[in-house]
């Protein structure tokens, strides 16, 4: 199968792996590992089972797991979603703490996936029917966009998301690291 490219998904996956390997080799002691790409592999329920999304997810999550990626920033779905911490294509924990508007986790296992794409001219209503067991938090109100602010310090990485109509903070997710055992 092909992912809107003349290249096969296996070739695209190899290119992603090589890019991540080179970035880590260039910065071996970086505390934070952030990856960004377009397709929301753990995002909006309407797209979750699309063949292109399913294939992207199957090709990419093992690579992201292998390199202990902290967060993945995606787009595509015109909705804001935040996954649970994911590892091996499953959530590490779906406890209620992850569903709150103000989450701080210390040295979490797995990767958290953000779909940050409600700033476009269109967006979709929140949580239409679809697969959403992987989603901890989501926001989409027709005609109301959101924006996110990413802050990085030595010990903390935060993503705060705000509504554009009120500037009210809708979601805050902070990862703290007190060790570098994985590096």
């Amino acid at each position: 199968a092909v992912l809107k490219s003349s290249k096969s998904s296996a070739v695209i996956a190899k290119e992603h792996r090589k890019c991540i390997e080179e970035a880590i080799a260039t910065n071996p002691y970086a505390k934070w590992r952030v990856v960004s790409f377009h397709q929301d592999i753990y995002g909006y329920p309407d797209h979750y089972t699309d063949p292109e999304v399913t294939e992207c997810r199957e090709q990419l999550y093992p690579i992201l797991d292998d390199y202990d990626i902290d967060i993945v920033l995606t787009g595509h779905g015109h909705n804001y979603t935040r996954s649970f911490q994911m590892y091996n294509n499953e959530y590490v924990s779906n406890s209620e703490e992850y569903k709150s508007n103000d989450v701080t986790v210390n040295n979490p296992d797995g990767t958290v996936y953000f779909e940050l794409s409600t700033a476009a001219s269109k967006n979709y209503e929140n949580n239409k029917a679809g697969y959403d067991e992987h989603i901890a938090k989501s926001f989409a109100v027709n005609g109301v966009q959101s924006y996110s602010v990413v802050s990085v310090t030595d010990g903390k990485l935060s993503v705060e998301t705000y509504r554009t109509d009120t500037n009210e903070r809708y979601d805050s997710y902070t990862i703290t690291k007190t060790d570098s055992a994985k590096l």
Side-chain angles (χ1 to χ4, degrees):
V2 176
L3 302 173
K4 288 189 181 179
S5 171
S6 60
K7 298 177 182 179
S8 72
S9 61
V11 169
I12 292 169
K14 284 181 185 178
E15 289 175 353
H16 277 79
R17 182 176 291 277
K18 182 179 178 190
C19 179
I20 291 170
E21 286 174 350
E22 288 174 359
I24 291 171
T26 303
N27 303 285
Y29 301 107
K31 191 168 208 169
W32 300 107
R33 295 182 178 175
V34 179
V35 171
S36 180
F37 50 84
H38 179 76
Q39 194 65 268
D40 57 320
I41 63 174
Y42 289 109
Y44 192 60
D46 275 6
H47 297 297
Y48 188 80
T49 57
D50 289 353
E52 181 177 276
V53 173
T54 300
E55 190 166 357
C56 279
R57 184 173 44 257
E58 288 171 0
Q59 293 288 334
L60 295 177
Y61 85 78
I63 297 168
L64 301 167
D65 286 354
D66 285 350
Y67 294 103
D68 294 319
I69 303 303
D70 294 299
I71 70 170
V72 174
L73 305 174
T74 67
H76 185 74
H78 298 265
N79 194 343
Y80 167 81
T81 59
R82 172 176 45 84
S83 74
F84 293 105
Q85 292 288 141
M86 302 293 292
Y87 185 79
N88 197 27
N89 201 30
E90 297 177 356
Y91 52 77
V92 176
S93 169
N94 68 343
S95 72
E96 289 299 313
E97 73 176 298
Y98 290 102
K99 296 178 183 179
S100 114
N101 293 343
D102 192 9
V103 178
T104 298
V105 292
N106 187 35
N107 297 323
D109 291 325
T111 302
V112 62
Y113 293 79
F114 289 88
E115 178 186 4
L116 304 173
S117 61
T118 67
S121 60
K122 67 176 182 175
N123 58 339
Y124 305 117
E125 289 294 338
N126 204 13
N127 287 344
K128 291 182 180 177
Y131 186 89
D132 63 357
E133 290 180 7
H134 56 281
I135 295 174
K137 196 74 176 162
S138 65
F139 172 80
V141 176
N142 195 24
V144 177
Q145 284 72 40
S146 66
Y147 62 94
S148 298
V149 176
V150 179
S151 303
V152 181
T153 65
D154 184 44
K156 192 185 309 186
L157 188 153
S158 296
V159 179
E160 294 184 316
T161 302
Y162 299 85
R163 296 173 59 118
T164 58
D165 59 341
T166 63
N167 285 322
E168 172 189 1
R169 187 174 73 187
Y170 173 75
D171 190 33
S172 175
Y173 195 80
T174 301
I175 298 173
T176 60
K177 283 190 182 181
T178 55
D179 65 46
S180 57
K182 291 183 179 180
L183 298 181

